[in-house]
mmCIF file of all heavy atoms in Angstrom:
data_model
loop_
_atom_site.group_PDB
_atom_site.id
_atom_site.type_symbol
_atom_site.label_atom_id
_atom_site.label_comp_id
_atom_site.label_asym_id
_atom_site.label_seq_id
_atom_site.Cartn_x
_atom_site.Cartn_y
_atom_site.Cartn_z
ATOM 1 N N ARG S 131 111.414 161.381 86.051
ATOM 2 C CA ARG S 131 111.386 162.154 87.300
ATOM 3 C C ARG S 131 110.280 163.217 87.110
ATOM 4 O O ARG S 131 109.506 163.518 88.064
ATOM 5 C CB ARG S 131 112.683 162.796 87.509
ATOM 6 C CG ARG S 131 113.049 163.137 88.932
ATOM 7 C CD ARG S 131 114.465 163.523 89.233
ATOM 8 N NE ARG S 131 115.231 164.151 88.151
ATOM 9 C CZ ARG S 131 116.229 163.477 87.485
ATOM 10 N NH1 ARG S 131 116.614 162.265 87.801
ATOM 11 N NH2 ARG S 131 116.870 164.081 86.544
ATOM 12 N N GLN S 132 110.147 163.879 85.964
ATOM 13 C CA GLN S 132 109.119 164.853 85.683
ATOM 14 C C GLN S 132 107.717 164.256 85.778
ATOM 15 O O GLN S 132 106.846 164.861 86.287
ATOM 16 C CB GLN S 132 109.359 165.499 84.316
ATOM 17 C CG GLN S 132 110.551 166.451 84.246
ATOM 18 C CD GLN S 132 110.360 167.742 85.032
ATOM 19 O OE1 GLN S 132 109.283 168.017 85.542
ATOM 20 N NE2 GLN S 132 111.467 168.497 85.135
ATOM 21 N N MET S 133 107.615 162.976 85.260
ATOM 22 C CA MET S 133 106.268 162.346 85.341
ATOM 23 C C MET S 133 105.909 162.091 86.752
ATOM 24 O O MET S 133 104.749 162.303 87.183
ATOM 25 C CB MET S 133 106.319 161.082 84.532
ATOM 26 C CG MET S 133 106.274 161.279 83.022
ATOM 27 S SD MET S 133 106.053 159.703 82.083
ATOM 28 C CE MET S 133 107.711 159.073 82.181
ATOM 29 N N ALA S 134 106.864 161.602 87.572
ATOM 30 C CA ALA S 134 106.531 161.398 88.999
ATOM 31 C C ALA S 134 106.168 162.635 89.720
ATOM 32 O O ALA S 134 105.290 162.708 90.555
ATOM 33 C CB ALA S 134 107.758 160.752 89.674
ATOM 34 N N ASN S 135 106.895 163.750 89.386
ATOM 35 C CA ASN S 135 106.553 165.009 89.946
ATOM 36 C C ASN S 135 105.224 165.587 89.586
ATOM 37 O O ASN S 135 104.533 166.122 90.335
ATOM 38 C CB ASN S 135 107.676 166.067 89.609
ATOM 39 C CG ASN S 135 108.965 165.873 90.338
ATOM 40 O OD1 ASN S 135 109.010 165.220 91.324
ATOM 41 N ND2 ASN S 135 110.040 166.457 89.758
ATOM 42 N N GLN S 136 104.788 165.307 88.316
ATOM 43 C CA GLN S 136 103.476 165.669 87.913
ATOM 44 C C GLN S 136 102.404 164.910 88.677
ATOM 45 O O GLN S 136 101.432 165.482 89.015
ATOM 46 C CB GLN S 136 103.341 165.427 86.355
ATOM 47 C CG GLN S 136 101.946 165.569 85.813
ATOM 48 C CD GLN S 136 101.429 167.028 85.987
ATOM 49 O OE1 GLN S 136 102.144 167.938 85.923
ATOM 50 N NE2 GLN S 136 100.153 167.197 86.134
ATOM 51 N N VAL S 137 102.636 163.604 88.836
ATOM 52 C CA VAL S 137 101.709 162.753 89.596
ATOM 53 C C VAL S 137 101.543 163.357 91.046
ATOM 54 O O VAL S 137 100.453 163.355 91.612
ATOM 55 C CB VAL S 137 102.111 161.310 89.649
ATOM 56 C CG1 VAL S 137 101.255 160.504 90.533
ATOM 57 C CG2 VAL S 137 101.952 160.763 88.195
ATOM 58 N N ALA S 138 102.644 163.826 91.575
ATOM 59 C CA ALA S 138 102.657 164.356 92.958
ATOM 60 C C ALA S 138 102.139 165.775 92.971
ATOM 61 O O ALA S 138 102.052 166.329 94.102
ATOM 62 C CB ALA S 138 104.076 164.243 93.566
ATOM 63 N N GLY S 139 101.889 166.436 91.807
ATOM 64 C CA GLY S 139 101.443 167.771 91.756
ATOM 65 C C GLY S 139 102.491 168.767 91.961
ATOM 66 O O GLY S 139 102.212 169.928 92.287
ATOM 67 N N LYS S 140 103.785 168.417 91.732
ATOM 68 C CA LYS S 140 104.913 169.341 91.965
ATOM 69 C C LYS S 140 105.366 170.087 90.736
ATOM 70 O O LYS S 140 106.258 170.969 90.796
ATOM 71 C CB LYS S 140 106.065 168.557 92.507
ATOM 72 C CG LYS S 140 105.786 167.947 93.907
ATOM 73 C CD LYS S 140 107.012 167.208 94.446
ATOM 74 C CE LYS S 140 106.707 166.624 95.831
ATOM 75 N NZ LYS S 140 107.800 165.819 96.282
ATOM 76 N N THR S 141 104.854 169.736 89.599
ATOM 77 C CA THR S 141 105.386 170.339 88.357
ATOM 78 C C THR S 141 104.200 170.528 87.321
ATOM 79 O O THR S 141 103.081 169.965 87.480
ATOM 80 C CB THR S 141 106.498 169.555 87.683
ATOM 81 O OG1 THR S 141 107.083 170.257 86.544
ATOM 82 C CG2 THR S 141 106.004 168.160 87.202
ATOM 83 N N GLU S 142 104.423 171.316 86.326
ATOM 84 C CA GLU S 142 103.435 171.587 85.345
ATOM 85 C C GLU S 142 103.477 170.503 84.213
ATOM 86 O O GLU S 142 104.602 169.957 83.987
ATOM 87 C CB GLU S 142 103.686 172.962 84.630
ATOM 88 C CG GLU S 142 103.465 174.143 85.671
ATOM 89 C CD GLU S 142 102.090 174.249 86.113
ATOM 90 O OE1 GLU S 142 101.152 174.067 85.296
ATOM 91 O OE2 GLU S 142 101.894 174.572 87.334
ATOM 92 N N LEU S 143 102.377 170.327 83.535
ATOM 93 C CA LEU S 143 102.307 169.247 82.438
ATOM 94 C C LEU S 143 103.282 169.666 81.311
ATOM 95 O O LEU S 143 103.852 168.751 80.741
ATOM 96 C CB LEU S 143 100.847 169.217 81.974
ATOM 97 C CG LEU S 143 100.612 168.136 80.904
ATOM 98 C CD1 LEU S 143 100.980 166.801 81.461
ATOM 99 C CD2 LEU S 143 99.177 168.152 80.457
ATOM 100 N N ILE S 144 103.440 170.946 81.018
ATOM 101 C CA ILE S 144 104.328 171.302 79.887
ATOM 102 C C ILE S 144 105.818 170.881 80.182
ATOM 103 O O ILE S 144 106.489 170.456 79.232
ATOM 104 C CB ILE S 144 104.228 172.805 79.619
ATOM 105 C CG1 ILE S 144 105.010 173.114 78.361
ATOM 106 C CG2 ILE S 144 104.780 173.613 80.754
ATOM 107 C CD1 ILE S 144 104.344 172.625 77.115
ATOM 108 N N ASP S 145 106.187 170.877 81.449
ATOM 109 C CA ASP S 145 107.545 170.389 81.800
ATOM 110 C C ASP S 145 107.712 168.887 81.475
ATOM 111 O O ASP S 145 108.722 168.460 81.005
ATOM 112 C CB ASP S 145 107.865 170.711 83.231
ATOM 113 C CG ASP S 145 107.891 172.187 83.535
ATOM 114 O OD1 ASP S 145 108.210 172.967 82.608
ATOM 115 O OD2 ASP S 145 107.595 172.540 84.669
ATOM 116 N N VAL S 146 106.596 168.176 81.781
ATOM 117 C CA VAL S 146 106.596 166.702 81.559
ATOM 118 C C VAL S 146 106.682 166.422 80.007
ATOM 119 O O VAL S 146 107.498 165.631 79.538
ATOM 120 C CB VAL S 146 105.393 166.037 82.135
ATOM 121 C CG1 VAL S 146 105.281 164.535 81.778
ATOM 122 C CG2 VAL S 146 105.319 166.250 83.656
ATOM 123 N N VAL S 147 105.871 167.232 79.283
ATOM 124 C CA VAL S 147 105.831 166.958 77.806
ATOM 125 C C VAL S 147 107.191 167.345 77.188
ATOM 126 O O VAL S 147 107.704 166.574 76.276
ATOM 127 C CB VAL S 147 104.672 167.826 77.181
ATOM 128 C CG1 VAL S 147 104.746 167.808 75.661
ATOM 129 C CG2 VAL S 147 103.339 167.310 77.662
ATOM 130 N N THR S 148 107.797 168.421 77.682
ATOM 131 C CA THR S 148 109.079 168.811 77.197
ATOM 132 C C THR S 148 110.177 167.740 77.453
ATOM 133 O O THR S 148 110.997 167.467 76.645
ATOM 134 C CB THR S 148 109.522 170.126 77.765
ATOM 135 O OG1 THR S 148 108.504 171.131 77.477
ATOM 136 C CG2 THR S 148 110.861 170.620 77.219
ATOM 137 N N ALA S 149 110.152 167.268 78.716
ATOM 138 C CA ALA S 149 111.163 166.245 79.080
ATOM 139 C C ALA S 149 110.962 165.024 78.252
ATOM 140 O O ALA S 149 112.022 164.348 77.787
ATOM 141 C CB ALA S 149 111.021 165.973 80.531
ATOM 142 N N ILE S 150 109.706 164.584 77.979
ATOM 143 C CA ILE S 150 109.445 163.340 77.240
ATOM 144 C C ILE S 150 109.887 163.609 75.818
ATOM 145 O O ILE S 150 110.497 162.722 75.144
ATOM 146 C CB ILE S 150 107.950 162.984 77.288
ATOM 147 C CG1 ILE S 150 107.627 162.437 78.781
ATOM 148 C CG2 ILE S 150 107.577 161.893 76.324
ATOM 149 C CD1 ILE S 150 106.201 162.211 78.983
ATOM 150 N N SER S 151 109.630 164.809 75.231
ATOM 151 C CA SER S 151 110.037 165.135 73.905
ATOM 152 C C SER S 151 111.558 165.079 73.760
ATOM 153 O O SER S 151 112.073 164.504 72.754
ATOM 154 C CB SER S 151 109.571 166.463 73.551
ATOM 155 O OG SER S 151 109.985 166.845 72.204
ATOM 156 N N ALA S 152 112.249 165.554 74.691
ATOM 157 C CA ALA S 152 113.712 165.552 74.685
ATOM 158 C C ALA S 152 114.225 164.100 74.774
ATOM 159 O O ALA S 152 115.161 163.713 74.023
ATOM 160 C CB ALA S 152 114.325 166.332 75.826
ATOM 161 N N ALA S 153 113.619 163.305 75.621
ATOM 162 C CA ALA S 153 114.046 161.914 75.675
ATOM 163 C C ALA S 153 113.747 161.108 74.448
ATOM 164 O O ALA S 153 114.608 160.299 73.983
ATOM 165 C CB ALA S 153 113.314 161.270 76.891
ATOM 166 N N GLU S 154 112.613 161.407 73.802
ATOM 167 C CA GLU S 154 112.250 160.721 72.547
ATOM 168 C C GLU S 154 113.233 161.148 71.439
ATOM 169 O O GLU S 154 113.708 160.351 70.695
ATOM 170 C CB GLU S 154 110.837 161.158 72.161
ATOM 171 C CG GLU S 154 110.342 160.484 70.925
ATOM 172 C CD GLU S 154 108.955 160.909 70.504
ATOM 173 O OE1 GLU S 154 108.428 161.860 71.033
ATOM 174 O OE2 GLU S 154 108.355 160.103 69.739
ATOM 175 N N SER S 155 113.599 162.416 71.404
ATOM 176 C CA SER S 155 114.506 162.908 70.389
ATOM 177 C C SER S 155 115.908 162.219 70.578
ATOM 178 O O SER S 155 116.507 161.796 69.586
ATOM 179 C CB SER S 155 114.638 164.381 70.510
ATOM 180 O OG SER S 155 115.613 164.883 69.580
ATOM 181 N N SER S 156 116.331 162.146 71.764
ATOM 182 C CA SER S 156 117.636 161.527 72.040
ATOM 183 C C SER S 156 117.612 160.050 71.737
ATOM 184 O O SER S 156 118.600 159.510 71.133
ATOM 185 C CB SER S 156 117.982 161.597 73.534
ATOM 186 O OG SER S 156 118.219 162.976 73.894
ATOM 187 N N LEU S 157 116.554 159.337 72.023
ATOM 188 C CA LEU S 157 116.490 157.922 71.640
ATOM 189 C C LEU S 157 116.450 157.748 70.149
ATOM 190 O O LEU S 157 116.980 156.886 69.613
ATOM 191 C CB LEU S 157 115.267 157.325 72.317
ATOM 192 C CG LEU S 157 115.071 155.826 72.159
ATOM 193 C CD1 LEU S 157 116.234 155.080 72.683
ATOM 194 C CD2 LEU S 157 113.737 155.368 72.743
ATOM 195 N N GLU S 158 115.610 158.621 69.468
ATOM 196 C CA GLU S 158 115.596 158.515 68.007
ATOM 197 C C GLU S 158 116.913 158.662 67.371
ATOM 198 O O GLU S 158 117.313 158.076 66.351
ATOM 199 C CB GLU S 158 114.601 159.481 67.455
ATOM 200 C CG GLU S 158 113.149 159.081 67.710
ATOM 201 C CD GLU S 158 112.163 160.133 67.152
ATOM 202 O OE1 GLU S 158 112.596 161.202 66.661
ATOM 203 O OE2 GLU S 158 110.970 159.929 67.262
ATOM 204 N N THR S 159 117.699 159.614 67.922
ATOM 205 C CA THR S 159 119.067 159.860 67.470
ATOM 206 C C THR S 159 120.004 158.610 67.639
ATOM 207 O O THR S 159 120.677 158.255 66.688
ATOM 208 C CB THR S 159 119.665 161.042 68.132
ATOM 209 O OG1 THR S 159 118.838 162.215 67.935
ATOM 210 C CG2 THR S 159 121.093 161.369 67.609
ATOM 211 N N VAL S 160 119.902 158.082 68.826
ATOM 212 C CA VAL S 160 120.742 156.867 69.077
ATOM 213 C C VAL S 160 120.332 155.696 68.147
ATOM 214 O O VAL S 160 121.194 155.001 67.608
ATOM 215 C CB VAL S 160 120.612 156.451 70.574
ATOM 216 C CG1 VAL S 160 121.191 155.067 70.807
ATOM 217 C CG2 VAL S 160 121.239 157.420 71.439
ATOM 218 N N MET S 161 119.018 155.613 67.918
ATOM 219 C CA MET S 161 118.477 154.527 67.009
ATOM 220 C C MET S 161 118.978 154.829 65.599
ATOM 221 O O MET S 161 119.284 153.915 64.852
ATOM 222 C CB MET S 161 117.017 154.469 67.092
ATOM 223 C CG MET S 161 116.459 154.107 68.421
ATOM 224 S SD MET S 161 116.257 152.417 68.812
ATOM 225 C CE MET S 161 115.060 151.973 67.642
ATOM 226 N N ALA S 162 118.933 156.117 65.113
ATOM 227 C CA ALA S 162 119.392 156.404 63.774
ATOM 228 C C ALA S 162 120.849 156.040 63.576
ATOM 229 O O ALA S 162 121.240 155.528 62.586
ATOM 230 C CB ALA S 162 119.098 157.902 63.488
ATOM 231 N N VAL S 163 121.700 156.460 64.579
ATOM 232 C CA VAL S 163 123.074 156.122 64.534
ATOM 233 C C VAL S 163 123.298 154.604 64.481
ATOM 234 O O VAL S 163 124.075 154.150 63.691
ATOM 235 C CB VAL S 163 123.878 156.780 65.686
ATOM 236 C CG1 VAL S 163 125.317 156.267 65.734
ATOM 237 C CG2 VAL S 163 123.875 158.268 65.523
ATOM 238 N N ARG S 164 122.602 153.961 65.293
ATOM 239 C CA ARG S 164 122.684 152.430 65.275
ATOM 240 C C ARG S 164 122.360 151.893 63.970
ATOM 241 O O ARG S 164 123.076 150.996 63.418
ATOM 242 C CB ARG S 164 121.756 151.807 66.363
ATOM 243 C CG ARG S 164 121.861 150.376 66.438
ATOM 244 C CD ARG S 164 120.650 149.670 66.928
ATOM 245 N NE ARG S 164 119.511 149.995 65.993
ATOM 246 C CZ ARG S 164 118.279 149.608 66.258
ATOM 247 N NH1 ARG S 164 117.961 148.927 67.273
ATOM 248 N NH2 ARG S 164 117.307 149.903 65.352
ATOM 249 N N ASP S 165 121.308 152.396 63.377
ATOM 250 C CA ASP S 165 120.872 151.900 62.032
ATOM 251 C C ASP S 165 121.866 152.153 60.958
ATOM 252 O O ASP S 165 122.212 151.290 60.131
ATOM 253 C CB ASP S 165 119.535 152.447 61.629
ATOM 254 C CG ASP S 165 118.322 152.053 62.458
ATOM 255 O OD1 ASP S 165 118.502 151.062 63.155
ATOM 256 O OD2 ASP S 165 117.357 152.703 62.440
ATOM 257 N N GLN S 166 122.542 153.315 61.075
ATOM 258 C CA GLN S 166 123.595 153.623 60.147
ATOM 259 C C GLN S 166 124.864 152.767 60.293
ATOM 260 O O GLN S 166 125.440 152.357 59.342
ATOM 261 C CB GLN S 166 124.017 155.095 60.254
ATOM 262 C CG GLN S 166 122.974 156.107 59.782
ATOM 263 C CD GLN S 166 122.682 155.964 58.250
ATOM 264 O OE1 GLN S 166 123.593 155.792 57.474
ATOM 265 N NE2 GLN S 166 121.419 155.992 57.936
ATOM 266 N N VAL S 167 125.175 152.470 61.576
ATOM 267 C CA VAL S 167 126.349 151.585 61.798
ATOM 268 C C VAL S 167 126.035 150.176 61.283
ATOM 269 O O VAL S 167 126.910 149.558 60.662
ATOM 270 C CB VAL S 167 126.651 151.549 63.301
ATOM 271 C CG1 VAL S 167 127.665 150.476 63.642
ATOM 272 C CG2 VAL S 167 127.178 152.897 63.725
ATOM 273 N N ILE S 168 124.863 149.669 61.511
ATOM 274 C CA ILE S 168 124.456 148.387 61.001
ATOM 275 C C ILE S 168 124.517 148.326 59.496
ATOM 276 O O ILE S 168 125.039 147.402 58.918
ATOM 277 C CB ILE S 168 123.081 147.919 61.566
ATOM 278 C CG1 ILE S 168 123.204 147.687 63.035
ATOM 279 C CG2 ILE S 168 122.585 146.709 60.834
ATOM 280 C CD1 ILE S 168 121.923 147.403 63.768
ATOM 281 N N SER S 169 123.954 149.375 58.915
ATOM 282 C CA SER S 169 124.029 149.456 57.439
ATOM 283 C C SER S 169 125.462 149.470 56.896
ATOM 284 O O SER S 169 125.713 148.750 55.867
ATOM 285 C CB SER S 169 123.288 150.696 57.008
ATOM 286 O OG SER S 169 123.284 150.907 55.606
ATOM 287 N N ALA S 170 126.341 150.264 57.513
ATOM 288 C CA ALA S 170 127.690 150.307 57.081
ATOM 289 C C ALA S 170 128.425 148.951 57.240
ATOM 290 O O ALA S 170 129.163 148.460 56.403
ATOM 291 C CB ALA S 170 128.485 151.392 57.883
ATOM 292 N N TYR S 171 128.116 148.265 58.411
ATOM 293 C CA TYR S 171 128.638 146.886 58.646
ATOM 294 C C TYR S 171 128.169 145.925 57.565
ATOM 295 O O TYR S 171 128.979 145.240 56.971
ATOM 296 C CB TYR S 171 128.293 146.436 60.021
ATOM 297 C CG TYR S 171 128.664 145.004 60.268
ATOM 298 C CD1 TYR S 171 130.001 144.686 60.616
ATOM 299 C CD2 TYR S 171 127.760 143.914 60.199
ATOM 300 C CE1 TYR S 171 130.422 143.341 60.812
ATOM 301 C CE2 TYR S 171 128.128 142.604 60.383
ATOM 302 C CZ TYR S 171 129.411 142.392 60.750
ATOM 303 O OH TYR S 171 129.820 141.066 60.948
ATOM 304 N N GLN S 172 126.898 145.940 57.249
ATOM 305 C CA GLN S 172 126.360 145.090 56.178
ATOM 306 C C GLN S 172 126.966 145.377 54.836
ATOM 307 O O GLN S 172 127.322 144.437 54.037
ATOM 308 C CB GLN S 172 124.903 145.150 56.169
ATOM 309 C CG GLN S 172 124.195 144.613 57.327
ATOM 310 C CD GLN S 172 122.713 144.788 57.392
ATOM 311 O OE1 GLN S 172 122.157 145.774 56.733
ATOM 312 N NE2 GLN S 172 121.986 144.050 58.243
#
Side-chain angles (χ1 to χ4, degrees):
R131 208 170 23 252
Q132 289 288 353
M133 285 186 282
N135 287 341
Q136 172 62 31
V137 169
K140 296 179 182 178
T141 189
E142 296 293 321
L143 184 59
I144 189 68
D145 296 331
V146 176
V147 172
T148 302
I150 291 172
S151 177
E154 182 180 18
S155 178
S156 294
L157 183 60
E158 286 178 359
T159 301
V160 169
M161 300 272 294
V163 170
R164 181 208 61 183
D165 292 344
Q166 290 296 319
V167 168
I168 290 171
S169 175
Y171 174 77
Q172 289 172 342

